[in-house]
Amino acid sequence: MSFLKEIRPLGERRNYSELLDLSSGDPHRGGIKPITFVRQVLAACFCPALLEDDSLPLDVKQRAKSLLRECDGGSVGSYTESSGIAKIKHCVSQFITRRDGGVPSSPDNIFIMSGSKTALMIILKLLIRSEDSCRTGVLIPVPTYASITMILEEEGAAIIPYHLCEEQGWTLQLEELHRVLQAARKTCNPVAFYICNPGNPTGHLQSRESIEEVIRFAAEERLFLLADEVYQSCVYGDNAEFYSYKKVLSEMGSNISSTVELASFNSASKGFMGECGFRGGYVELVNLDPAVMKYARTLFSTRSCPPVAGQIALDLMADPPKPGDPSFPTFSEEVQSIKNTIRKNTGRIQEVFAELPGISCQPLKAGFFVFPSLHFPPKAIKWAEKRQMEPDMLYCLHLLEETGLHVKPGCEYGQRKDSHHIRLFVGTQENIMEDALQRLKTFHTRFMKEFS
């Protein structure tokens, strides 16, 4: 079928037998198997009769019993505190302290929600004053995932986009931040700075130096930091290391470390667990004024309790099996297998992209996505203009139509003028990724040939 023809009508026979959906970050849909320890504990919590099953490891039974003791009536069907079960909040705070090399974390500053996105929405409600004549402004990166943009629009905030530098590995440029902030102050009141690290959709990982620059910028400009760190356990680049904003902030001078306000988000949906459907995420608040913190607690308490399954998933993420525990050998083997699969997938992706004309990709370091740049011939640009569509959107529609591979166009995430991208999920089984890459390779080669 020529690309110059219209998309086939419904019901007409396609050239593929199975749809491959790599448009969203769902590892289990991509064939990644759930962690055995996680599912065993959840199963025992939901069906306590399994605690008598000799096939379950001792540490699974102990954890399930411990969690059930925290539930009213010993049942996961009971309500919990609106900010989460106290024991699980304590477990999360200990996880944060270990992650950050001993930096203190208090359970009182942690709020568990039905996903990190819900927590972000509540924090934005705290910051945005929709009744003011001068709108509240929030700086967000370009590209960024679409949900943050929709949340800000719904809350009536002024969106202040700052562009990441693709040519330098999607790095954040301080000059760009000053430029956009100065321009925004003419039309709105900027109060917050949002960053996703590791990046979605870009797969970049901020260096410690870059994080320090952002924190100093926030201190100088009196901006509230919103650090979306949900991909923190998914780091695979050579010599790549994740630094949390809280850890870096704590190690800066006291005039900064004790004053810059920070909200840090994490989730059980991302990383090696990939438990997207359980809806468990949290936010930790740092350096908020006590009066503001009191109001924040009130705001969080207006929500019903987060799903207990999601809370349990967070507990298991924060405190997994340790060496010597019966479940540790299987757990460590499964986690390493998932990490190896993602590392192999990203390596294979870059191999294939290097072979294809009109496509380039920055080195991948972390996260669940790859965001390659598509360099369309002028004929392809005119083809899209004639149909009043963005070129990468039309590319993705025909990719789906012709091969059954579903990926997202870059225009949905924001991008520089006259640049085009696609976003591809990397957290799948290797055979699924290979199938996807072969479909993309065949389609892209024919696409570039027809329009060159």
Side-chain angles (χ1 to χ4, degrees):
M1 176 182 177
S2 170
F3 293 107
L4 300 179
K5 296 180 180 178
E6 297 302 323
I7 290 177
R8 296 173 181 169
L10 291 174
E12 188 171 326
R13 185 177 181 84
R14 266 58 176 174
N15 297 324
Y16 57 88
S17 58
E18 182 181 6
L19 178 71
L20 281 184
D21 189 353
L22 302 188
S23 64
S24 63
D26 188 340
H28 296 171
R29 183 168 64 182
I32 299 295
K33 301 300 181 185
I35 300 295
T36 300
F37 175 76
V38 173
R39 290 305 178 89
Q40 286 178 330
V41 173
L42 281 161
C45 286
F46 275 80
C47 183
L50 292 174
L51 293 171
E52 308 303 320
D53 190 331
D54 292 337
S55 66
L56 287 181
L58 179 61
D59 55 341
V60 167
K61 295 180 180 181
Q62 291 173 336
R63 179 65 73 86
K65 289 177 181 178
S66 173
L67 289 164
L68 287 172
R69 282 195 294 268
E70 303 300 319
C71 298
D72 289 345
S75 170
V76 293
S78 300
Y79 284 120
T80 74
E81 291 293 323
S82 57
S83 64
I85 295 172
K87 175 190 177 298
I88 296 178
K89 291 172 63 176
H90 181 72
C91 182
V92 170
S93 72
Q94 290 182 317
F95 159 78
I96 293 170
T97 298
R98 288 195 306 273
R99 180 199 68 187
D100 293 340
V103 179
S105 172
S106 170
D108 292 339
N109 298 331
I110 292 169
F111 300 86
I112 297 175
M113 290 283 113
S114 56
S116 58
K117 189 187 300 182
T118 303
L120 176 60
M121 290 173 64
I122 294 177
I123 295 300
L124 288 172
K125 284 181 180 293
L126 181 70
L127 296 172
I128 296 169
R129 300 182 60 175
S130 56
E131 72 277 5
D132 285 2
S133 57
C134 184
R135 287 200 300 165
T136 302
V138 179
L139 283 78
I140 67 170
V142 176
T144 192
Y145 70 105
S147 295
I148 179 66
T149 304
M150 290 188 290
I151 293 171
L152 291 173
E153 289 175 345
E154 183 177 336
E155 294 298 325
I159 296 173
I160 308 169
Y162 62 90
H163 287 270
L164 303 176
C165 182
E166 181 174 8
E167 295 75 19
Q168 296 183 28
W170 298 108
T171 53
L172 191 151
Q173 305 291 305
L174 202 56
E175 298 81 2
E176 168 74 354
L177 300 186
H178 284 293
R179 181 188 68 79
V180 299
L181 184 65
Q182 183 178 8
R185 283 196 164 129
K186 298 175 183 178
T187 59
C188 68
N189 177 31
V191 301
F193 180 95
Y194 171 84
I195 184 70
C196 185
N197 179 52
N200 174 11
T202 57
H204 77 278
L205 182 68
Q206 269 189 287
S207 66
R208 183 189 179 92
E209 292 72 23
S210 175
I211 294 173
E212 288 177 350
E213 285 184 345
V214 170
I215 292 173
R216 290 193 187 95
F217 172 74
E220 292 167 3
E221 304 295 346
R222 298 179 62 82
L223 297 173
F224 192 111
L225 279 176
L226 302 166
D228 192 342
E229 299 175 320
V230 297
Y231 296 101
Q232 60 187 262
S233 68
C234 192
V235 176
Y236 42 76
D238 293 337
N239 302 315
E241 183 176 355
F242 169 78
Y243 296 95
S244 77
Y245 265 78
K246 183 184 177 185
K247 176 178 173 61
V248 176
L249 174 63
S250 72
E251 296 172 350
M252 300 178 74
S254 60
N255 60 324
I256 291 180
S257 64
S258 62
T259 59
V260 173
E261 296 169 303
L262 168 69
S264 171
F265 304 88
N266 197 6
S267 170
S269 299
K270 315 304 178 186
F272 64 85
M273 283 185 63
E275 295 288 5
C276 304
F278 289 138
R279 310 311 305 139
Y282 71 82
V283 59
E284 182 185 26
L285 301 180
V286 179
N287 288 336
L288 267 67
D289 181 275
V292 177
M293 195 66 177
K294 183 178 179 180
Y295 183 74
R297 288 195 178 94
T298 302
L299 200 57
F300 276 103
S301 70
T302 61
R303 296 292 181 111
S304 297
C305 70
V308 176
Q311 295 189 58
I312 293 174
L314 281 175
D315 184 86
L316 303 177
M317 178 194 79
D319 186 19
K322 302 174 181 64
D325 292 344
S327 296
F328 180 76
T330 299
F331 172 82
S332 58
E333 181 181 331
E334 290 174 341
V335 170
Q336 192 58 51
S337 175
I338 292 170
K339 292 181 177 181
N340 289 343
T341 295
I342 295 175
R343 188 176 290 110
K344 289 177 182 177
N345 284 348
T346 56
R348 181 63 180 139
I349 286 168
Q350 294 185 98
E351 286 177 6
V352 171
F353 286 173
E355 300 170 356
L356 295 176
I359 189 167
S360 61
C361 185
Q362 294 298 315
L364 302 174
K365 296 182 179 180
F368 269 174
F369 302 99
V370 56
F371 199 61
S373 180
L374 303 176
H375 310 286
F376 292 127
K379 187 177 177 182
I381 302 294
K382 292 179 180 178
W383 169 67
E385 289 175 348
K386 185 178 179 181
R387 286 156 179 78
Q388 298 182 324
M389 294 183 68
E390 291 292 333
D392 47 16
M393 173 63 82
L394 199 51
Y395 178 95
C396 287
L397 286 174
H398 276 272
L399 175 64
L400 175 60
E401 167 72 15
E402 295 298 307
T403 73
L405 176 59
H406 184 201
V407 301
K408 289 289 189 73
C411 60
E412 292 191 1
Y413 303 92
Q415 51 196 357
R416 289 190 182 276
K417 190 177 185 300
D418 298 326
S419 69
H420 313 287
H421 301 79
I422 57 172
R423 190 189 77 161
L424 183 73
F425 177 54
V426 302
T428 72
Q429 287 182 330
E430 290 175 54
N431 64 312
I432 293 177
M433 180 55 63
E434 188 62 36
D435 186 0
L437 289 174
Q438 290 306 315
R439 295 190 196 195
L440 178 62
K441 184 176 181 179
T442 300
F443 171 84
H444 185 81
T445 301
R446 191 165 69 83
F447 180 93
M448 294 300 291
K449 182 178 180 180
E450 181 160 344
F451 286 108
S452 62

